[in-house]
Amino acid sequence: MRDTDPAGTDPDPADPAPGVDLRDVEREAAMIRLFDGQHARLVRLAVLLGADQDAEDVVAEAFCVLHSRWYGLRAPQAAAAYLRSVVCNLVRLRIRRLQVSRRHADVRPDPVASAESTAMLHEDRRQVVDALEGLPTRQREALVLRYWLDLREREIADAMGISTGAVKSHISRGMQALSRAMGTRSGNGGSAGGGSPCWSSRY
């Protein structure tokens, strides 16, 4: 015979244990859903932004930051956008640190792509991604968020912490620079404009 509480009702197995905050239970469940639904997408985002072999670590750190600041979100639905913003910031910081260390050490970046980034990208996207890596950080972020994640300008502005006007400027300048870089690499003056790049979400 099953035990019952003093009121004579069966305990609900879904109820949290005594002393457990129900908000914490809901947060952990939401974090699991986010990880299952967003992890691979965020790793690809980090790779395209320039995280290279550190992409997995960047995304793991982003989830840790979200976990620690969960109760500061305006709503649970804002978690995915917050993760994108944290990934952008962490990759940006990583690039800055690498630039400083290379400047002091006077070393050049290794031209060989990491195993992680190679596995994440189709071979026929590699030329575009190589050209993308040569863009200024903000232009690269704007293009990746717009054409790969297919975000609206307002969402890109939130992720990058800038105005929608600045987003438009970065996208426009980035596409022009990418067109020039692709034309130089192909040797035929071809343009990367006129549509979504081959690494976009519609590829």
Side-chain angles (χ1 to χ4, degrees):
M1 179 180 294
R2 291 183 300 171
D3 293 335
T4 59
D5 64 18
T9 59
D10 292 330
D12 186 349
D15 287 341
V20 175
D21 191 331
L22 183 59
R23 293 193 312 158
D24 292 340
V25 175
E26 293 172 345
R27 177 186 62 179
E28 299 310 313
M31 290 290 298
I32 292 172
R33 289 194 298 270
L34 277 168
F35 188 89
D36 290 342
Q38 298 289 328
H39 182 265
R41 189 175 180 83
L42 290 171
V43 171
R44 282 177 174 266
L45 171 62
V47 168
L48 286 169
L49 291 179
D52 201 27
Q53 71 271 15
D54 294 331
E56 290 272 2
D57 291 340
V58 165
V59 174
E61 185 174 350
F63 272 97
C64 288
V65 171
L66 173 63
H67 188 273
S68 67
R69 300 183 182 177
W70 181 266
Y71 299 123
L73 295 176
R74 62 179 180 274
Q77 293 76 16
Y82 183 76
L83 278 170
R84 289 194 297 266
S85 178
V86 174
V87 168
C88 287
N89 289 335
L90 290 175
V91 174
R92 197 179 305 132
L93 288 172
R94 173 191 179 275
I95 291 173
R96 288 174 183 167
R97 285 196 298 266
L98 286 175
Q99 289 172 340
V100 170
S101 64
R102 286 167 181 161
R103 189 158 54 242
H104 287 295
D106 193 25
V107 296
R108 297 182 181 275
D110 186 351
V112 179
S114 71
E116 288 85 352
S117 62
T118 300
M120 280 301 200
L121 302 169
H122 292 298
E123 183 60 32
D124 53 1
R125 301 185 195 184
R126 191 72 243 176
Q127 186 179 13
V128 176
V129 174
D130 287 345
L132 191 68
E133 290 175 350
L135 298 182
T137 301
R138 288 298 202 176
Q139 291 178 16
R140 179 170 61 245
E141 288 178 4
L143 290 180
V144 170
L145 292 169
R146 174 66 185 90
Y147 292 108
W148 192 82
L149 285 190
D150 207 19
L151 300 184
R152 296 186 296 270
E153 288 175 353
R154 179 71 263 168
E155 294 173 313
I156 298 171
D158 289 342
M160 295 177 63
I162 58 178
S163 68
T164 55
V167 168
K168 293 177 182 178
S169 177
H170 287 312
I171 290 176
S172 176
R173 293 177 181 177
M175 285 302 295
Q176 292 174 13
L178 193 64
S179 295
R180 290 193 297 270
M182 292 300 296
T184 300
R185 288 170 182 271
S186 63
N188 59 12
S191 171
S196 299
C198 68
W199 39 266
S200 75
S201 60
R202 290 182 288 275
Y203 183 82

